[in-house]
């Protein structure tokens, strides 16, 4: 029997080269030794075994596998959709533990990989079926393993829940070829793990966070798939495409994912996310995640900004090919598979937001869409499609031989012959000729798609702005060009341009950098000419360009993205303050790419989530990164608020609301960071009965923050209070300190985090002098001591300040106790005449020391009839009448306090209207002046009616008789 079968196989191998025959016969003999009931070989079997050591070795070592495949008929038919998953479920039925799971997965994987390779090499399956089967196999293995591991971990650690009281599951995103359903034979699987929201587990021995649960689950899943054993592996897993790569948590919440891609997502990550899709876990939640991330991947406009980065990626690809000697690599070499995919994905990145058809994942579908939209010529699409199919088939033949992740053409003569035969060619030279022709055509199209278009302004415009910049025009011609563009002082503009050309920042640029600058400047000059004050705007922009010139990616961004350039010119024309902000923090230029978010400042909840997600990725002991993240967050929000302000997209009150909410969000996180540091160092303060305090600490905002009236440059007036319940006790840590010391250091830490200047700048200037006893008092005061001071020692001006005070961060219980104290103190019965005199005297002292208007100007804040007069009248009215009308203590902002005073008929309605209108107008003007880097002083005639009205009301209310 054995001898007959050996002879039969020899006959079937006639025509193959001797080394190939001998290799197959070796496998066949091994098979005969292991098989109880050997099967008769066939022509198809001989062919497949000749082309694949992997198939031959798998069958020879496990005859039952071969028997199963032959007897089932599975080699002769394509699987139905979902059939692989059903078969795996059956194979995993009754699986007992992780070890058992790993073994069953590996055996199932080998069986199905042999089947897929066999059908491919026998010519029974087209490329689309092969890649679909490989992708379905990976999905089935990932999903099957995940389901069992999730169940076991829930039993051990409890079930993760979200805020909606529903159990949560892991979402597994497949990236790259897996995401597109185009997996190759020996491919890694690129995965990203996510979960819907933060929360904790329930039902376990102890509760853990959802993130900890899913990180552990992800680790177990990777082990089940990736760990090599005696039976091999299932799939190699690559997690490096997740946010922040290998330095971040293995699994992130949806909010964290969205915040990352909005704040940090780079062009290559957009490129990678094109093919992403849910492949395991909670598919419905995965679809929701993809919907959240869609705006990051596909911009609603044609994204010209992608051109430069795509060209940079193309150049990087070409450099890599040369450096690594990849000419014989069918994937990475010039004209290889990667270049076909790059062409398709580049169009998806640039135009996918406008054309939903281009959001498809499979590259062949994308190429057909490019044909339909006439974005590529008919012949180009045909050549790319033919080349892609040819190269993918060649890739599979290379990998199916030994189930190894290789893309390099063989060098050995026998291996070359085997490769040619497997591809349907009689010999290697003919095969190689066709291969090289396909790759040459692909590379030609690759070069043509990414050739830089003629965007030189001077070549498309009769006004030679390029000549103005590079000084190829004489002075008269240049002046004439600038005048036609809209410049009223062309000499001034020419001098500014010459200064930049001769500056160190320009001369120090590389040739590539100068090329980018020389492409940008004509575009910028033309755009600036259309503004109201071209010379002023040009000066602001040249200062910015000079500052960012060394980081030439920013120049490329502006050249490639007309939207970003136009927004930059618009914002700098409107505000020198915004220009300086961008100059100091050029990473903010990325914010200009999407006007949808640039002019829509986020709400409080969005800010909270964005900042927390920025911080969650930073190691808890990396204070420098945490401080920089806080500052970058503030700068980004400031830009968006200012952009919305100068464009008129939001009214004054909303501007202050956003700026105040931003400060509150930052204070929340700063306090959490400071608290975490102190607790780690000293333990938690004890509050009696061996109970740890629930912080027992709160931050109280005074002044503009307390009054919800922050401006762009406002500092923070803060007071720190603690419960007092912990006095005389100490913290419970190894380095225990007295609780009073703990809270004092906590407050110092908060101030340090806010005020320290890092490379990213500072957060806020902080004034803590409004605390009891001012600069000579304790930095942190107990609630009781604060109350006693306010009742017995505080000056009237301190009670005035208390009118605008409110808790903004910390322990809610302490915040409520502060509100009770504030209400009591503000509502005390007072002698109206004495109060009026003291308030008036304090106002006169302030005006004498701070007013800057002089005889020819009006200081909006400090001169008579200005903002401070309105504020002092409101504070006087609240302190005078809150005893009778306690609801006056409900608000801390001037507008609502004025409205409440009007509702109680304490100030006539007409006067309330005048005061609120004047207050809004003044503050709007202060905002405008701040954004122009000018002091809050206007001409003496500006706001004359408001000023006269405020002075009249002051005299009636504060100087009666």
């Amino acid at each position: 029997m054995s001898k007959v079968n050996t002879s039969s196989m020899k006959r079937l191998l006639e025509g193959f080269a001797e080394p190939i025959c001998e290799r197959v016969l070796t496998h066949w003999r091994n098979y005969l030794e292991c098989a109880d009931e050997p099967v008769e070989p066939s022509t198809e079997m001989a062919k497949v075994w000749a082309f694949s050591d992997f198939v031959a070795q798998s069958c020879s070592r496990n005859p039952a596998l071969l028997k199963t495949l032959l007897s089932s008929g599975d080699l002769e038919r394509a699987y139905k959709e979902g059939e692989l998953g059903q078969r795996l479920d059956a194979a995993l039925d009754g699986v007992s533990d992780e070890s058992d799971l790993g073994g069953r997965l590996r055996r199932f994987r080998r069986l199905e990989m042999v089947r897929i390779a066999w059908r491919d090499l026998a010519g029974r399956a087209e490329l689309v079926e092969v890649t679909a089967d490989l992708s379905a196999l990976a999905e089935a293995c990932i999903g099957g393993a995940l389901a069992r591991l999730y169940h076991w971990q829930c039993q051990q650690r409890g079930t993760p829940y979200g805020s909606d009281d529903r159990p949560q599951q892991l979402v597994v995103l497949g990236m790259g070829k897996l995401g597109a359903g185009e997996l190759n034979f020996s491919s890694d699987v690129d995965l990203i793990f996510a979960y819907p929201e933060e929360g904790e587990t329930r039902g376990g021995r102890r509760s853990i966070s959802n993130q900890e649960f899913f990180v552990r689950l992800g680790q177990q899943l990777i082990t089940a798939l990736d760990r090599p054993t005696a039976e091999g592996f299932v799939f190699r897993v690559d997690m490096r495409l997740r946010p922040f790569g290998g330095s971040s948590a293995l699994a992130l919440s949806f909010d964290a994912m969205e915040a990352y891609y909005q704040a940090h997502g780079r062009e290559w990550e957009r490129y990678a996310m094109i093919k992403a899709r849910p492949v395991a876990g909670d598919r419905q939640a995965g679809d929701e995640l993809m919907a959240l991330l869609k705006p990051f991947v596909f911009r609603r406009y044609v994204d010209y900004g992608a051109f430069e980065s795509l060209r940079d990626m193309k150049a990087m690809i070409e450099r890599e090919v040369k450096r690594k000697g990849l000419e014989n690599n069918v994937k990475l070499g010039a004209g290889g598979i990667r270049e076909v995919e790059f062409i398709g994905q580049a169009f998806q990145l640039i135009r996918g937001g406008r054309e939903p058809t281009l959001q498809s994942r499979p590259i062949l579908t994308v190429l057909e869409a490019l044909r339909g939209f006439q974005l590529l010529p008919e012949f180009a699409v045909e050549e790319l499609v033919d080349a892609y199919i040819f190269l993918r088939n060649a890739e599979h033949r290379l990998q199916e031989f030994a189930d190894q992740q290789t893309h390099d053409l063989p060098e050995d003569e026998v291996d070359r012959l085997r490769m040619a035969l497997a591809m349907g060619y009689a010999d290697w030279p003919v095969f190689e000729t066709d291969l090289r022709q396909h790759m040459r055509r692909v590379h030609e199209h690759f070069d043509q798609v990414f050739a830089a278009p003629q965007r030189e302004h001077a070549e498309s415009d009769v006004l030679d702005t390029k000549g103005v910049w590079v000084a190829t025009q004489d002075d008269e011609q240049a002046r004439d060009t600038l005048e036609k563009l809209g410049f009223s002082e062309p000499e001034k503009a020419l001098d500014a341009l010459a200064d930049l050309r001769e500056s160190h920042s320009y001369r120090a640029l590389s040739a590539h950098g100068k090329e980018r600058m020389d492409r940008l400047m004509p575009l910028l000059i033309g755009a600036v000419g259309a503004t109201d004050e071209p010379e002023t705007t040009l000066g602001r922009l040249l200062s910015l360009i000079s500052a960012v010139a060394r980081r030439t990616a920013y120049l490329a961004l502006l050249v490639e993205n007309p939207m970003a350039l136009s927004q930059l010119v618009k914002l700098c024309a409107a505000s020198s303050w915004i220009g300086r902000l961008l100059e100091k923090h050029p990473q903010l230029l990325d914010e200009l790419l999407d006007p949808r978010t640039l002019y829509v400042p986020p709400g409080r909840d969005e800010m909270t989530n964005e900042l927390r997600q920025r911080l969650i990725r930073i190691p808890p002991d990396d204070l420098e990164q945490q401080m920089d993240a806080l500052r970058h967050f503030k700068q980004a929000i400031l830009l968006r608020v200012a952009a919305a302000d100068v464009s008129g997209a939001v009214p004054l009150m909303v501007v202050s609301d956003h700026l105040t909410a931003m400060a509150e969000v930052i204070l929340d996180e700063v306090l959490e960071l400071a608290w975490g540091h102190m607790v780690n160092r000293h333990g938690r303060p004890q509050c009696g009965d061996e109970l740890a305090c629930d912080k027992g600490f709160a931050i109280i905002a005074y002044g503009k923050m307390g009054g919800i009236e922050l401006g762009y440059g406002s500092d923070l007036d803060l007071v720190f209070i603690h419960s007092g319940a912990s006095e005389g006790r100490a913290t419970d840590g190894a380095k225990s300190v007295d609780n009073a010391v703990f809270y004092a250091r906590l407050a110092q830490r908060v101030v340090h985090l806010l005020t320290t200047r890092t490379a990213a700048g500072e957060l806020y200037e902080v004034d803590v002098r409004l605390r009891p006893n001012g600069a000579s008092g304790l930095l942190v005061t107990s609630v009781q001591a604060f109350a006693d001071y306010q009742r017995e020692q505080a000056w009237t001006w301190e009670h005035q300040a208390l009118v605008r005070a409110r808790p903004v961060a910390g322990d809610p219980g302490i915040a409520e106790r502060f509100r009770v104290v504030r209400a009591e103190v503000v509502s005390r019965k007072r002698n109206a005449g004495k109060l009026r005199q003291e308030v008036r005297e304090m106002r006169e002292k302030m005006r004498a020391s701070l007013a800057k208007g002089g005889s020819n100007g009006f200081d909006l804040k400090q001169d008579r009839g200005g903002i401070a007069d309105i504020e002092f009248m409101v504070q006087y009215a609240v302190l005078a009448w809150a005893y009778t009308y306690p609801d006056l203590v409900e608000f801390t902002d001037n507008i609502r306090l004025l409205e409440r005073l009007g509702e109680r008929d304490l100030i006539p309605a007409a006067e309330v209207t005048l005061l609120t209108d004047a207050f809004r107008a003044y503050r709007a003007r202060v905002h405008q002046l701040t954004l122009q880097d000018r002091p809050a002083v206007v001409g003496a005639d500006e706001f004359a009616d408001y000023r006269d009205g405020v002075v009249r009301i002051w005299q009636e209310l504060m100087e009666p008789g």
Side-chain angles (χ1 to χ4, degrees), residues 836 873 908 911 949-961:
R836 185 184 298 113
M873 283 190 282
E911 294 185 354
V950 173
V951 169
R952 175 180 56 78
I953 296 170
W954 173 273
Q955 291 170 341
E956 293 172 357
L957 185 63
M958 305 303 296
E959 301 173 2

Side-chain angles (χ1 to χ4, degrees), residues 422-624:
M423 286 292 292
Y425 288 84
D427 56 42
W428 174 261
V430 178
F431 162 72
E432 187 179 25
T433 298
D434 282 359
L435 172 72
R436 298 299 180 188
Q437 185 177 44
H438 281 301
M439 295 182 75
R440 177 181 55 77
R441 288 171 177 169
V442 168
H443 193 64
E444 287 174 355
H445 294 305
F446 182 68
D447 275 343
Q448 290 170 7
V449 166
F450 295 102
Q454 293 298 320
R455 286 168 285 116
E456 302 292 354
H457 192 81
E459 293 178 9
S460 60
D461 197 321
V462 293
L463 297 176
D464 184 10
T465 50
K466 181 181 180 182
V468 173
W469 164 242
V470 298
T472 55
Q473 294 183 345
D474 61 35
D475 288 349
E476 184 177 348
Q477 289 175 317
R479 284 194 298 271
D480 182 61
T481 297
L482 290 176
E483 285 178 351
K484 290 177 179 176
L485 285 169
F487 287 81
S488 58
E489 299 178 75
E491 282 287 355
K492 182 178 179 181
L494 286 173
D495 289 344
L497 292 169
D499 288 343
L500 178 59
R501 276 197 313 274
E502 298 302 319
S503 70
H504 175 73
S505 60
Y506 179 74
R507 287 186 285 108
L509 288 174
S510 65
H512 186 53
K514 286 181 179 177
E515 179 186 349
R516 285 182 170 178
M517 179 79 88
D518 293 346
R519 284 159 52 197
L520 170 63
M521 291 308 299
L523 303 174
L524 185 141
I525 293 167
V528 168
T531 63
D532 292 338
E533 299 180 17
E535 288 78 16
T536 300
T537 303
L538 181 65
R540 295 170 182 172
L541 284 163
L542 294 185
S543 177
L544 186 154
I545 295 298
S546 178
V548 306
R550 285 185 302 171
R551 301 166 73 175
T552 59
Y554 292 126
L555 304 181
L557 181 152
L558 296 172
V559 169
E560 296 289 355
N561 197 315
M563 182 65 71
L565 179 59
S566 66
Q567 300 311 314
L568 176 64
V569 173
K570 175 182 176 181
L571 292 175
C572 286
S575 167
S576 59
W577 183 91
I578 293 178
R580 285 195 305 106
L581 180 68
L582 291 166
E583 183 177 325
K584 289 180 181 178
H585 310 291
Q587 76 277 2
L588 293 175
L589 288 171
D590 290 342
E591 299 286 334
L592 307 181
L593 289 170
D594 192 350
R596 295 170 298 170
T597 57
L598 177 61
Y599 297 102
V600 184
R604 168 71 188 261
D605 291 343
E606 292 175 274
M607 290 188 207
T608 298
N609 180 63
E610 179 178 337
L611 180 54
R612 286 180 179 171
Q613 297 312 325
R614 286 183 185 228
L615 291 171
I616 200 172
R617 304 181 186 96
I618 299 173
D621 58 348
D622 194 335
L623 179 62
E624 183 178 354

Side-chain angles (χ1 to χ4, degrees), residues 349-387:
L349 207 60
I350 295 165
R351 296 182 175 270
R354 285 279 185 90
E355 304 293 351
T357 306
L358 288 175
Q359 296 174 15
S360 300
R361 296 180 182 91
I363 183 61
L364 293 176
T365 304
V366 172
L367 290 173
E368 288 303 324
L370 295 177
R371 187 206 306 265
F373 290 122
Q374 298 183 334
L375 294 172
L376 284 178
E378 182 91 16
F379 81 92
V381 172
E382 290 181 3
E383 289 181 354
L384 289 171
V385 168
D386 290 345

Side-chain angles (χ1 to χ4, degrees), residues 175-196:
M175 310 293 286
K177 287 187 169 63
L178 175 60
E182 300 168 335
L183 210 60
N184 61 50
F185 192 79
S186 294
S187 178
D188 294 350
V189 288
D190 295 297
L191 305 179
I192 292 178
F193 297 153
Y195 55 95

Side-chain angles (χ1 to χ4, degrees), residues 23 26 54 153 194 226 269 300 356 377 477 498 511 586 603 605 643 645 662 684 792 815 821 848 859 938:
R23 196 175 188 101
T26 298
F54 164 70
Q153 182 156 300
D226 188 271
E269 288 175 299
R300 286 191 298 184
Q477 289 175 317
D605 291 343
D645 190 359
M662 176 184 69
R684 297 173 67 95
E792 300 168 10
V821 172
D859 185 329
V938 297

Side-chain angles (χ1 to χ4, degrees), residues 215 240 278 298 356 492 576 619 635 681 711 806 876 946:
V215 166
R240 290 174 296 176
F298 298 110
K492 182 178 179 181
S576 59
Q635 292 150 10
R681 189 176 181 85
R806 64 188 178 92
Y876 162 77
Y946 281 143

Side-chain angles (χ1 to χ4, degrees), residues 321 323 330 731 779:
V321 170
R323 186 179 72 252
V330 298
T731 61
L779 185 59

